[in-house]
Amino acid sequence: MAVTKRKSGSITAEKPEKRVKKEKSAAAAPASNKKTLFGKVLDEDNEEDDGEDEGELEAEPIRDDDEQNDMDMEVDAPAANGDQTVPQKNKIPTKEANAQKKALRDERRSHKPNAELIYPAKKLWERLRLKELPKPERQQVMKEMMELITGKVQEIIFKHDMSRIIQSCLKHGNEAQRNVIAGELVGHYLTLSKSMYGRFIVVKILHYCQKYREAIIKEFYGKVRQLIKHKEASTIIEDAYSTYANAAQRAGLIQEFYGPEFRIFKVEDKKTLSDILAQNPSKKDNIMKHLMETLKGCMEKGTVEFSIVHRGLLEYFEHADAKGIQEMLDVMKEQAVEILHTKEGAQVAMLCLLHASPKDRKAMLKTMKPFVVKICKEEYGHMVMLRMFDVVDDTVLMSKAILAEIIKEMDDIAKDKYGRRVILYLLAGRSPKYISPQSIELLAKGDLVRANTSKKDAAVRSSELLNYISPSLISLIATKTRALTSEPLACQVVFETMLHATGDRQPAVDALLTLATENPSEATSETPHVLMSMPTDRLFKTLVQSDYKAPLAEPSLHFAKALLAKISPYLGFFAQQSGSSPFIVLALLENPETAEETKKALQAKGTGKGSITIQKELEKVVKGKPENEFKAVRLILETLAK
C-alpha cells in the first residue's frame, strides 16, 4: 500500500482517490483506448489527476458466489458512445440461466440436514399462517403438515424457522395434533427452555396442552435455581409458576430456593416457608442462607421482576432477623421500583420502606419519582404509596418528590380505580369506605415497626401532607367541576376534599353551586341537570347531609343553606321527579339548618290563579301508584305531615 506524509509529519495509509466520471470529448479521449463493462467506461489510467481531493470509496454491492457466477455468464451491454467492450463470453439465454441458478440453489439446499422436510414445511406454513384462510383449508393444511413432521419434531425444533412452524402448528392444530407434538418432546423441555428459539415452543405447549403441563414442570425440578438465572429459561420458569402451575407445583418450584435438600426431596404437604419452619425450626439458618444467595443471584442476573422471585423476597423479609433484613435492603433499595406490579412484590417494597433508615428511604423515593403516576394506578403498587405516606418523616421531600408528581396528573389519578385511593388516603386515612379490610390489616401490621423506624407523630405527618396537597385539590375542583362530578370515582375525591381539605374551600363550593343553578327544564338527555343524573345527585345529597351527619366538615360548609338558596325556584320540579333528585329535597327537609325554610317552600301556594301547593302536587304524583314507586316523594310527604 502506498504511503504519504501529511503536513503534520505523521505517516498514514494513503486513501484511494474517489473515481469520478470525466466529461471529456471523444476527441480528447479516443474510444479505441477505453474499455467498457455494463455500459460504463473502465478507468485504466490511475495516474491521471482528476482535480479532486481525496475522498471515500464508493460503496459497491456485496454478491455471493452464485450471483457472481451468474454475472459472468451475462453479456456485457455495448457502451452508449460506441466504445469497444471487453471480450464477450459464451452467450446463455436468460431463461436457461435462471434454470441453472435454480438447479444450483436446489442442489445446495439438498445438502442441508432435513432438507426434504424443511422446505415443503415452509411452503405449507406460508398458507397455514394466513389469517383469512378458511377453516376447512386450514384443517387440510394442518393434516398435511402433521404427516410431514410427525416423528421428526425433535430433529428440527432448534432451528429458528422450524421453531416458528411448530409454534403455528400448536396454535392452529386441534387437541390431538397438539398432543402429538407435545408427546414427542417429552424429556427435551429442559433443553428447549434454554434455547433461544425452542423456548417459545415450551410456552405454546404450556398454553395449549394442559395434559403435558405437569410433565414439563417436573423436568424443571432440581434445576430451578439455575434456570431462574438463565437468560432464556428464566421466562419459562416465570410463566410456569405464575400462570400454569397449581399451588402444589408452585410450592415445589419455590422450595428449590431453600437449599440443595429441597431440590431432591420435595415437602409435598407444606406450601409455604412458614409451614416448613414450623415443622423444622432448626433448619431456619441454613434455609435463610441459601434463600439469600439465590435472591442475590437473581438480582445480579436481572431477573428480579419475576413473581417467583417476589415470592422468595417476601418470605425472606417475613422470616429474616434485623441484620438479614438490612443486608437485603442494601441490595434492594434501588430495585424496589421494579417489583411493584405483583402482589408479593408490592408487599416487599412496603416492607423495604417500613424497615429502611431515613437515608435508604430517600434513595428509594428518588428511584420512584419518575414513575409516581404509574405506581398510583397500579393494582398493587398503589399500596406502596400509602405505606410511603405512613413512614417517611421528611414531608418536605415527600411533597417535592412524590406529591408534586401526583399534582401534575391529579385529574387522571382522581378518576382511576386505584389512583383515587392514593388521594383519598391523604384526605380520609384508612377509611373502610375506600380501602378493603385486607388492605387496612396489611397497613396496620406495620404500625409497631413504624414506631421504631419513624420518629414523627403519625397525625402530624398526615396533617403536613394534607396541607401541601389541599390547595391543588380545591383548585382542581373549581376549574374542572363538571368533568370530575360526572365520574363516580372522582366524585368520591370531590366529596372528601369538601370535607377534609384545609384552606379556603369556597371556590370549590361556588363551582358546585353554579352547576346546580342551571334551569332543569332546559336539560336534555345528552346534558342532564346535575341534580337529576348519577353520580352528581348523590354527591349533592351527601354534601347536604354532611352538615348534620358524620363525618362533619371542619369548619362546617353550610352547603345545604347555600344550595337551597340557589335551587328554591325549582324545588317543586326536583321534588316531583322519579329519579334521585327528590332525595336531595328530602335531605334539605331533614337538615336542621334548612328544614323550616324547605318546609315553608313546599307548603306555600303559588302566585298564579288556582295554583296549589307543592305538597298537593306531590300527593297527586303518588296517588294510585304502587308502593315501590316514588319512594323519595312519599318520604317527603311523611316528613311534611309530622
Side-chain angles (χ1 to χ4, degrees):
M1 179 181 291
V3 297
T4 183
K5 285 188 177 181
R6 295 185 177 176
K7 292 182 179 180
S8 62
S10 61
I11 299 177
T12 59
E14 182 179 2
K15 294 183 179 179
E17 295 181 354
K18 184 177 180 180
R19 298 177 180 178
V20 296
K21 293 182 178 180
K22 299 179 181 181
E23 297 180 357
K24 295 184 179 182
S25 62
S32 59
N33 296 330
K34 301 291 182 180
K35 293 183 179 181
T36 62
L37 180 62
F38 301 112
K40 296 183 179 180
V41 178
L42 294 177
D43 186 4
E44 294 181 334
D45 188 3
N46 292 330
E47 297 179 357
E48 292 185 5
D49 185 8
D50 57 6
E52 292 188 0
D53 297 330
E54 291 182 347
E56 297 180 356
L57 284 174
E58 293 182 350
E60 296 183 358
I62 300 174
R63 303 182 177 89
D64 58 23
D65 295 338
D66 295 333
E67 290 177 327
Q68 187 62 45
N69 294 337
D70 296 339
M71 289 174 57
D72 293 342
M73 292 189 291
E74 294 180 359
V75 181
D76 295 337
N81 57 4
D83 292 344
Q84 294 180 357
T85 61
V86 295
Q88 298 181 357
K89 298 183 180 181
N90 294 334
K91 183 177 180 181
I92 300 177
T94 304
K95 187 174 182 180
E96 183 179 347
N98 291 339
Q100 290 180 3
K101 288 191 288 184
K102 185 177 183 299
L104 181 62
R105 183 171 63 250
D106 292 342
E107 183 181 356
R108 288 199 310 271
R109 287 178 174 177
S110 65
H111 295 303
K112 295 182 178 180
N114 299 302
E116 72 285 352
L117 167 62
I118 293 175
Y119 296 105
K122 284 184 177 180
K123 291 184 179 180
L124 290 173
W125 178 58
E126 289 296 333
R127 294 176 57 197
L128 180 64
R129 67 193 185 115
L130 294 175
K131 291 183 179 180
E132 63 275 10
L133 188 68
K135 186 175 181 180
E137 291 186 31
R138 193 184 302 280
Q139 292 174 344
Q140 180 60 32
V141 173
M142 269 302 306
K143 183 179 178 182
E144 296 175 14
M145 183 72 81
M146 292 302 298
E147 292 174 356
L148 195 61
I149 66 174
T150 299
K152 302 178 181 178
V153 176
Q154 296 180 15
E155 303 174 16
I156 59 178
I157 50 177
F158 293 102
K159 297 181 178 294
H160 73 92
D161 46 1
M162 289 307 297
S163 174
R164 297 185 67 185
I165 292 173
I166 299 299
Q167 290 176 55
S168 294
C169 291
L170 290 167
K171 178 179 179 181
H172 299 295
N174 56 37
E175 183 178 358
Q177 291 167 336
R178 292 168 178 168
N179 287 336
V180 168
I181 296 172
E184 288 192 33
L185 296 176
V186 171
H188 296 80
Y189 290 115
L190 181 61
T191 306
L192 276 172
S193 298
K194 299 177 182 180
S195 169
M196 181 182 298
Y197 307 112
R199 66 188 178 96
F200 296 108
I201 296 176
V202 182
V203 172
K204 291 289 185 182
I205 294 176
L206 283 170
H207 181 71
Y208 291 112
C209 305
Q210 184 176 358
K211 177 181 176 182
Y212 287 89
R213 288 177 185 171
E214 184 177 359
I216 294 173
I217 292 173
K218 282 187 176 180
E219 287 194 31
F220 297 151
Y221 285 163
K223 302 291 184 181
V224 176
R225 191 176 180 185
Q226 291 77 25
L227 294 176
I228 196 61
K229 302 173 188 176
H230 192 277
K231 179 181 178 182
E232 312 296 345
S234 58
T235 58
I236 305 300
I237 296 296
E238 170 61 14
D239 286 345
Y241 176 84
S242 63
T243 308
Y244 303 111
N246 57 36
Q249 291 167 342
R250 284 196 295 271
L253 292 171
I254 192 65
Q255 280 176 18
E256 298 197 18
F257 283 27
Y258 305 155
E261 174 187 347
F262 296 91
R263 299 174 204 166
I264 303 171
F265 305 104
K266 302 294 181 186
V267 184
E268 299 292 342
D269 58 335
K270 307 299 180 185
K271 296 183 180 179
T272 66
L273 181 57
S274 298
D275 297 335
I276 295 173
L277 294 179
Q279 186 177 8
N280 301 288
S282 59
K283 294 183 178 181
K284 179 176 179 179
D285 292 340
N286 191 43
I287 289 175
M288 298 306 292
K289 175 186 174 183
H290 285 94
L291 184 55
M292 164 67 88
E293 292 174 355
T294 304
L295 294 173
K296 279 189 174 181
C298 292
M299 285 181 272
E300 291 172 359
K301 293 293 184 179
T303 57
V304 72
E305 73 273 12
F306 295 143
S307 60
I308 187 173
V309 180
H310 301 172
R311 166 79 177 273
L313 284 167
L314 181 59
E315 291 184 334
Y316 181 87
F317 271 95
E318 288 177 344
H319 297 92
D321 55 18
K323 182 179 178 181
I325 289 175
Q326 186 58 48
E327 187 177 353
M328 183 62 76
L329 270 173
D330 293 338
V331 183
M332 276 295 302
K333 60 185 177 184
E334 294 185 357
Q335 298 190 50
V337 70
E338 301 177 25
I339 65 174
L340 306 182
H341 56 281
T342 66
K343 183 178 181 180
E344 292 86 355
Q347 291 181 23
V348 170
M350 293 172 69
L351 289 170
C352 287
L353 284 167
L354 185 63
H355 292 279
S357 64
K359 184 178 179 180
D360 290 339
R361 288 170 181 166
K362 184 177 181 179
M364 294 180 67
L365 260 62
K366 287 184 177 179
T367 60
M368 294 182 185
K369 181 180 178 181
F371 312 102
V372 167
V373 176
K374 184 178 180 181
I375 295 172
C376 289
K377 296 180 180 181
E378 286 276 359
E379 179 181 1
Y380 304 111
H382 77 278
M383 290 294 295
V384 179
M385 302 301 297
L386 307 191
R387 174 63 76 203
M388 198 181 297
F389 297 151
D390 280 347
V391 301
V392 178
D393 288 336
D394 191 348
T395 53
V396 175
L397 176 62
M398 278 290 297
S399 301
K400 293 180 178 179
I402 305 300
L403 296 186
E405 297 297 321
I406 294 176
I407 289 171
K408 291 178 183 178
E409 302 292 337
M410 190 179 292
D411 187 9
D412 291 336
I413 294 175
K415 298 175 184 177
D416 185 76
K417 178 180 180 180
Y418 303 108
R420 49 109 190 186
R421 294 179 184 174
V422 177
I423 301 175
L424 289 170
Y425 193 77
L426 293 169
L427 293 165
R430 299 174 186 176
S431 172
K433 290 194 299 181
Y434 310 118
I435 303 177
S436 67
Q438 294 80 7
S439 297
I440 293 175
E441 182 181 358
L442 179 63
L443 291 167
K445 283 181 180 179
D447 289 346
L448 292 176
V449 178
R450 180 180 64 175
N452 298 322
T453 59
S454 299
K455 297 180 180 180
K456 187 174 289 188
D457 183 71
V460 174
R461 185 189 304 108
S462 300
S463 176
E464 290 175 354
L465 295 175
L466 181 59
N467 290 339
Y468 183 86
I469 203 172
S470 289
S472 298
L473 282 169
I474 294 170
S475 176
L476 178 68
I477 296 172
T479 55
K480 297 186 177 182
T481 316
R482 190 178 294 276
L484 291 173
T485 55
S486 61
E487 294 283 342
L489 299 179
C491 270
Q492 297 174 353
V493 175
V494 174
F495 175 70
E496 296 297 340
T497 300
M498 301 305 296
L499 292 184
H500 302 294
T502 59
D504 185 10
R505 291 166 289 175
Q506 195 58 42
V509 173
D510 293 341
L512 291 171
L513 294 175
T514 300
L515 291 180
T517 56
E518 296 175 355
N519 191 339
S521 61
E522 298 177 358
T524 63
S525 57
E526 296 180 356
T527 57
H529 195 278
V530 293
L531 300 186
M532 299 169 61
S533 61
M534 293 285 290
T536 322
D537 50 358
R538 287 191 177 183
L539 171 64
F540 277 80
K541 183 189 74 172
T542 51
L543 285 174
V544 169
Q545 292 174 337
S546 69
D547 285 340
Y548 66 99
K549 286 186 177 181
L552 298 176
E554 293 292 343
S556 177
L557 292 173
H558 302 291
F559 188 81
K561 189 173 183 179
L563 179 64
L564 181 59
K566 296 289 185 180
I567 67 170
S568 56
Y570 315 113
L571 199 62
F573 181 89
F574 291 128
Q576 297 177 51
Q577 302 304 308
S578 59
S580 55
S581 60
F583 284 100
I584 300 175
V585 178
L586 178 62
L588 291 170
L589 193 58
E590 293 175 342
N591 190 318
E593 192 174 9
T594 56
E596 193 65 30
E597 188 176 351
T598 305
K599 186 175 182 179
K600 287 181 179 179
L602 293 174
Q603 293 178 337
K605 288 186 177 181
T607 56
K609 186 177 180 180
S611 59
I612 58 176
T613 63
I614 297 175
Q615 184 176 358
K616 294 291 185 182
E617 292 179 356
L618 296 179
E619 292 172 354
K620 290 182 179 181
V621 168
V622 300
K623 187 176 181 180
K625 298 292 192 303
E627 290 292 330
N628 59 348
E629 294 183 9
F630 295 97
K631 291 183 178 180
V633 177
R634 297 179 189 277
L635 290 172
I636 291 173
L637 291 173
E638 291 176 6
T639 305
L640 291 173
K642 293 179 181 178

